[in-house]
Amino acid sequence: MDIDIQENYIAEKYPGILDTLLLDRTTKKNIFWATDSYSEHGDGFLNHDLITVEKITGENGMVIRPRALKSSEEQVARSKDKAEVFTPSWICNAQNNLVDNQWFGYEGAFNKETIDENGKHGWLVTEKVDFERAGKSWKEYVTDTRMEITCGEAPYLVSRYDTTTGEFIPVKNRIGLLDRKLRVICENAKDRDEWLDYAKKAYQNIYGYEWQGDNLILAREALFLTYIEYYQFYFGVDSKPNTLSLKKIADIISLNIWQMDGIKFVVPDSCHDEVEEITSLFDDPTEERRPCPGCACDDHTRHNGIYSVIRDWTVYEDYHTGKFGRKGCERSDQPFVNYVMHKNTI
């Protein structure tokens, strides 16, 4: 199976979804390229240009490609420019297993790691995840929060393919943090309503951020298609989620997988010099330029850039109006830095 998610396919098959997946919920604009890798395409494809549907569909439908399908020269260049290094799926699995070993209190809840006679690493999935042994419920697991920092194409969240080899991974063998939540939903949900409800909660409790816009859209697209693939895995290959549920999942993805400088907690390159005009009685006005206070003293609470905003899903959601809120709380979107400093929820 081709691992490259075709933007033309998404645009044709799921109208409006690409618009949502390209939206930056902090700036209320689209995400931007944040890389010079596409400058050869000219205006509209430069570092600070916004990514629009038109720039990645139609004749531009093959512009964005997964790292595994990029040339070796481009892979090396991006690694030098932004320290972009992707992780083999077997390592993602081993590290995700360490997280779950702690949560379950025993090893191998989801799979057993293997090495064959040729030294190739892999894993064998368990027949069913045993929550009784852990003394916890599958619903607790689904609603427990996970996040992948500097997520790239999000191989720790969803493992549709190995990001280093390009090898496609069948649904039943996937090992991402979101894959695991969806797996236990498929194993335990008693009916359609429960599946849909907890699949939504699974997405609400998965986060990730990334600097480069092309990686971010690839990650968002992978999470979106993962929902459809698990839906068909549970309900049958001919089943199709309804438009409303797909729109809701796309909304959650655009809120939870966002573009951010992970050191400063702001939209990439949004910090700027501060300019003060100085006047006197005898001289012409002059300008004094000072660097961003946070950048100058390496204090992540004092940057003058645009602090990235994420959704607090613990608030009440009114499904009829689409509004969020709770008593004593006017907004459910808060700067990410606030969560790091005060809420400790991520």
Side-chain angles (χ1 to χ4, degrees):
M1 181 175 290
D2 188 358
I3 67 167
D4 188 12
I5 299 170
Q6 303 294 324
E7 284 74 30
N8 283 335
Y9 169 80
I10 295 178
E12 180 181 350
K13 188 79 171 177
Y14 308 106
I17 292 297
L18 266 184
D19 296 279
T20 301
L21 296 180
L22 286 171
L23 184 61
D24 185 305
R25 295 307 186 107
T26 297
T27 63
K28 310 303 182 186
K29 301 176 182 179
N30 280 17
I31 60 178
F32 66 102
W33 293 104
T35 175
D36 290 319
S37 295
Y38 302 90
S39 58
E40 64 186 65
H41 296 283
D43 291 342
F45 296 86
L46 305 181
N47 191 304
H48 290 96
D49 290 331
L50 302 181
I51 306 177
T52 63
V53 172
E54 294 72 25
K55 292 171 188 173
I56 59 174
T57 58
E59 294 182 356
N60 296 322
M62 299 296 287
V63 167
I64 295 181
R65 304 274 280 169
R67 178 181 173 87
L69 300 182
K70 291 182 172 74
S71 69
S72 57
E73 292 80 6
E74 185 176 355
Q75 290 183 22
V76 170
R78 288 169 67 100
S79 294
K80 290 181 178 179
D81 183 38
K82 291 290 190 299
E84 179 184 85
V85 179
F86 285 12
T87 311
S89 291
W90 71 267
I91 293 181
C92 295
N93 178 58
Q95 293 181 309
N96 285 350
N97 280 348
L98 291 176
V99 175
D100 283 328
N101 290 347
Q102 292 295 315
W103 195 92
F104 282 89
Y106 67 89
E107 296 184 1
F110 286 89
N111 59 70
K112 178 182 179 182
E113 297 162 37
T114 62
I115 305 178
D116 67 17
E117 64 275 9
N118 297 316
K120 182 180 179 180
H121 292 264
W123 59 88
L124 293 173
V125 298
T126 57
E127 183 176 346
K128 185 178 180 180
V129 180
D130 186 352
F131 284 93
E132 184 176 351
R133 181 178 175 185
K136 298 179 180 180
S137 75
W138 67 271
K139 294 180 180 180
E140 289 179 81
Y141 183 82
V142 170
T143 57
D144 210 27
T145 302
R146 302 282 188 272
M147 182 174 75
E148 180 180 358
I149 64 172
T150 59
C151 68
E153 295 172 21
Y156 284 90
L157 299 183
V158 289
S159 56
R160 297 187 69 252
Y161 56 90
D162 189 303
T163 55
T164 59
T165 66
E167 180 182 357
F168 185 79
I169 301 174
V171 170
K172 63 184 180 64
N173 291 335
R174 295 182 187 175
I175 48 78
L177 295 170
L178 177 59
D179 291 319
R180 295 171 185 231
K181 291 176 181 288
L182 294 173
R183 173 185 166 178
V184 300
I185 295 170
C186 288
E187 290 179 349
N188 294 280
K190 63 180 181 293
D191 54 35
R192 174 187 174 83
D193 288 343
E194 188 167 54
W195 193 97
L196 291 172
D197 183 32
Y198 276 89
K200 176 177 68 70
K201 290 177 180 177
Y203 275 80
Q204 289 174 341
N205 285 282
I206 284 289
Y207 292 86
Y209 64 81
E210 166 62 18
W211 177 296
Q212 298 179 121
D214 58 342
N215 283 343
L216 185 64
I217 184 59
L218 286 169
R220 288 178 169 186
E221 289 173 346
L223 265 71
F224 177 73
L225 288 192
T226 291
Y227 179 82
I228 297 171
E229 289 164 345
Y230 275 92
Y231 184 96
Q232 293 176 333
F233 182 78
Y234 183 80
F235 294 104
V237 293
D238 295 327
S239 302
K240 297 179 181 179
N242 64 46
T243 301
L244 183 60
S245 68
L246 290 176
K247 180 64 169 65
K248 182 62 184 176
I249 290 300
D251 284 337
I252 296 171
I253 292 171
S254 70
L255 284 158
N256 282 24
I257 311 297
W258 75 98
Q259 190 165 31
M260 185 176 76
D261 178 332
I263 302 298
K264 301 177 182 179
F265 304 153
V266 300
V267 173
D269 292 336
S270 61
C271 289
H272 53 274
D273 289 345
E274 296 180 344
V275 180
E276 180 181 358
E277 186 176 274
I278 301 175
T279 60
S280 69
L281 292 175
F282 307 104
D283 299 319
D284 292 334
T286 60
E287 289 185 350
E288 179 178 333
R289 303 183 70 88
R290 294 186 297 273
C292 162
C295 295
C297 62
D298 195 24
D299 184 342
H300 64 259
T301 68
R302 298 180 59 194
H303 290 292
N304 61 14
I306 305 170
Y307 278 98
S308 296
V309 170
I310 62 172
R311 171 61 51 82
D312 178 0
W313 293 104
T314 62
V315 302
Y316 170 73
E317 178 181 1
D318 188 328
Y319 287 95
H320 298 290
T321 65
K323 295 181 179 180
F324 296 81
R326 61 185 172 192
K327 188 176 182 180
C329 178
E330 295 182 358
R331 296 190 60 190
S332 60
D333 293 338
Q334 296 293 334
F336 180 71
V337 65
N338 288 355
Y339 285 82
V340 174
M341 294 177 62
H342 305 300
K343 297 184 74 65
N344 195 31
T345 58
I346 298 178

